[in-house]
Amino acid sequence: MDDSYPYQILSIRSNDGTYEDHRFAQNYTWMRAALDSGKLTCGIVYCYWRTDIAATFQTMQAQIDANGGLHPKVILMVDLESGGNPDMDETTAVDGMIDLMAGWTGDYKRVVLYANRGDFYTMWASYSTRLPQIGGTIGAGYGSNPQLPGQIAHQYTDGQGDYGQGLPYMCAPFGACDMNVADNQTAEQFAAACGVGGDDMTPEQAALLQQLAANVELILQQLAGASNFNGWPEGGGRTLYDLAAATAAKVGVPNTSDTKAAS
């Protein structure tokens, strides 16, 4: 992987089950740097789904953690294919993998699922529970758009030609390769659909927000007390408003009362 790559979104494999992609370290290191510099708008890291979802996910997580950690602009993808897998409904295990990924990213929108039309309907037969929660699907269909439910992009070539669609099937630095298209979406729109971008903050903005939150907490403490906002002991367990009302009642302001006064 190198800077000759011309697009704003890149998808790379981390693992197939417990098999670690031997090019991942180099590819992911480049991806992280490109995300930081703005060359890439978002990145996709995918694992080829296997029925042992715990081992598959742990392998993906270990690959990413060993190479800089999960970047906030990285989307995780389930590559759901029947090759080497049972050709049957695996909804429970597919949902389980999605849950593991979403638990790590902190957002179901940062999870997508790839499949061809046949595998999608066979292996994720009861997709209606998780599909509305995730970023969407990426369908595989050479020469035709698979139009999967929730589809946000589709793979139109495996590098063997354009299949009559007039789209590129070669890309630097790979040459002929798998390529996808997100119809009628910019890279930023695709990223936003997958929970990336829009509300991204610079480190300075994040630090400012943290300071503002600390200041708000301090103001609340001064108004209502440091312990569950139950008032201050030196004010007799009164909040600032309680103390003002008690003072008003003491000096005879009509219709005021000291609700914390000892009976």
Side-chain angles (χ1 to χ4, degrees):
M1 195 64 221
D2 60 45
D3 288 345
S4 64
Y5 183 73
Y7 299 109
Q8 292 176 269
I9 302 173
L10 174 67
S11 178
I12 60 174
R13 186 180 72 165
S14 59
N15 58 297
D16 174 345
T18 57
Y19 170 78
E20 299 178 352
D21 191 304
H22 66 280
R23 294 181 178 174
F24 179 76
Q26 177 187 354
N27 291 340
Y28 190 62
T29 297
W30 184 90
M31 175 184 280
R32 285 182 57 86
L35 290 168
D36 288 339
S37 70
K39 181 175 177 63
L40 290 180
T41 301
C42 65
I44 299 172
V45 174
Y46 72 91
C47 65
Y48 192 97
W49 185 89
R50 297 296 183 183
T51 54
D52 189 344
I53 61 172
T56 301
F57 175 72
Q58 288 165 6
T59 303
M60 170 184 248
Q61 195 170 40
Q63 283 274 78
I64 293 173
D65 282 343
N67 292 283
L70 182 62
H71 195 283
K73 293 184 179 180
V74 162
I75 300 154
L76 302 182
M77 184 170 79
V78 181
D79 180 1
L80 185 64
E81 302 184 42
S82 56
N85 284 314
D87 189 15
M88 57 184 288
D89 184 9
E90 293 281 2
T91 296
T92 299
V94 174
D95 287 355
M97 175 63 84
I98 290 171
D99 291 343
L100 289 171
M101 290 180 170
W104 193 23
T105 64
D107 185 358
Y108 274 92
K109 292 300 180 185
R110 280 179 63 192
V111 179
V112 295
L113 181 139
Y114 166 97
N116 64 41
R117 190 172 180 86
D119 289 342
F120 177 87
Y121 285 108
T122 298
M123 300 179 71
W124 203 23
S126 300
Y127 58 83
S128 59
T129 300
R130 285 293 178 274
L131 180 55
Q133 298 176 288
I134 66 173
T137 60
I138 298 178
Y142 310 146
S144 63
N145 188 332
Q147 298 183 330
L148 298 183
Q151 182 173 295
I152 56 174
H154 77 278
Q155 181 188 340
Y156 62 86
T157 181
D158 55 359
Q160 300 303 306
D162 68 0
Y163 295 94
Q165 297 178 90
L167 294 168
Y169 60 93
M170 300 184 71
C171 173
F174 311 110
C177 62
D178 295 349
M179 296 188 72
N180 304 271
V181 61
D183 294 324
N184 303 315
Q185 293 185 86
T186 65
E188 291 76 15
Q189 288 170 331
F190 177 92
C194 298
V196 173
D199 59 353
D200 287 346
M201 293 184 288
T202 65
E204 293 78 12
Q205 290 171 327
L208 177 60
L209 183 61
Q210 186 176 20
Q211 184 60 53
L212 288 172
N215 290 343
V216 169
E217 177 72 13
L218 181 59
I219 292 168
L220 286 173
Q221 289 180 359
Q222 290 298 313
L223 290 173
S227 179
N228 297 317
F229 308 133
N230 289 324
W232 288 94
E234 56 266 45
R238 296 174 177 85
T239 66
L240 184 61
Y241 186 82
D242 291 337
L243 193 59
T247 302
K250 183 70 173 179
V251 300
V253 177
N255 301 317
T256 60
S257 63
D258 182 1
T259 59
K260 299 290 186 176
S263 56

